[in-house]
């Protein structure tokens, strides 16, 4: 039996963590800290075919299917983007493919990120989410 928290539980924890900060400067600092805590991605996974299309910054994503769950590794050279992808990895990694595909990831809106990201970053975030869901759909079948 796997006691891995589900997407909603992890998402709610992130919303709660972000709510501890009063202003967006502090929230961005927290986002950067999340990126710094992202486990390092193996160099062999940083290949052209693993770059996420639609991101202005370089973002690599590696997806692995193990024991009926999807596990992600990701990295970016941009510190804010690395924080964004680290949140997605935190929420989605270790989940069942069907749960990843069907989730709405409303924590992004609850935190207020969508309205505080530049349009290019918001597009990049959406591209990351699309790729993670696509990988889950493909690998999960």
């Amino acid at each position: 039996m796997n006691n891995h928290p589900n997407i909603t539980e992890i998402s709610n924890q992130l919303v709660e963590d972000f709510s501890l900060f009063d202003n967006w400067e502090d929230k961005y600092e927290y986002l950067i800290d999340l990126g710094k805590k992202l486990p390092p991605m193996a160099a062999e996974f940083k290949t052209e075919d693993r770059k996420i299309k639609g991101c202005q910054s370089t973002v690599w994503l590696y997806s692995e299917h193990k024991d009926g769950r999807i596990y992600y590794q990701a990295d970016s050279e941009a510190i804010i983007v690395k924080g964004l992808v680290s949140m997605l990895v935190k929420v989605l990694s270790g989940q069942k493919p069907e749960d990843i595909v069907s989730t709405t990831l409303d924590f992004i809106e609850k935190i207020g990120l969508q309205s505080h990201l530049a349009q290019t970053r918001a597009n990049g975030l959406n591209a990351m989410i699309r790729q993670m869901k696509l990988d889950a759909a493909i690998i999960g079948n």
Side-chain angles (χ1 to χ4, degrees), residues 51-57 120-125 127-128 130:
K51 282 185 181 178
I52 296 182
K53 314 294 181 267
C55 286
Q56 191 174 22
S57 304
T120 53
R121 283 225 173 98
N123 291 342
L125 178 61
M128 290 182 246
R130 257 192 322 275

Side-chain angles (χ1 to χ4, degrees), residues 19-53:
S19 74
L20 298 173
F21 303 101
D22 295 328
N23 61 56
W24 271 95
E25 192 173 306
D26 291 341
K27 290 180 185 195
Y28 277 123
E29 283 300 318
Y30 182 64
L31 189 61
I32 290 167
D33 285 344
L34 289 176
K36 289 178 181 174
K37 292 175 184 164
L38 186 66
M41 183 179 203
E44 71 257 24
F45 296 144
K46 291 184 179 182
T47 56
E48 195 62 37
D49 62 321
R50 292 201 174 100
K51 282 185 181 178
I52 296 182
K53 314 294 181 267

Side-chain angles (χ1 to χ4, degrees), residues 106-118:
D106 59 351
F107 76 92
I108 295 166
E109 195 63 42
K110 287 179 182 173
I111 290 170
L113 266 176
Q114 286 298 110
S115 58
H116 284 86
L117 290 177

Side-chain angles (χ1 to χ4, degrees), residues 96-113:
K96 294 177 183 170
E98 60 271 19
D99 294 340
I100 294 168
V101 171
S102 66
T103 191
T104 58
L105 297 177
D106 59 351
F107 76 92
I108 295 166
E109 195 63 42
K110 287 179 182 173
I111 290 170
L113 266 176

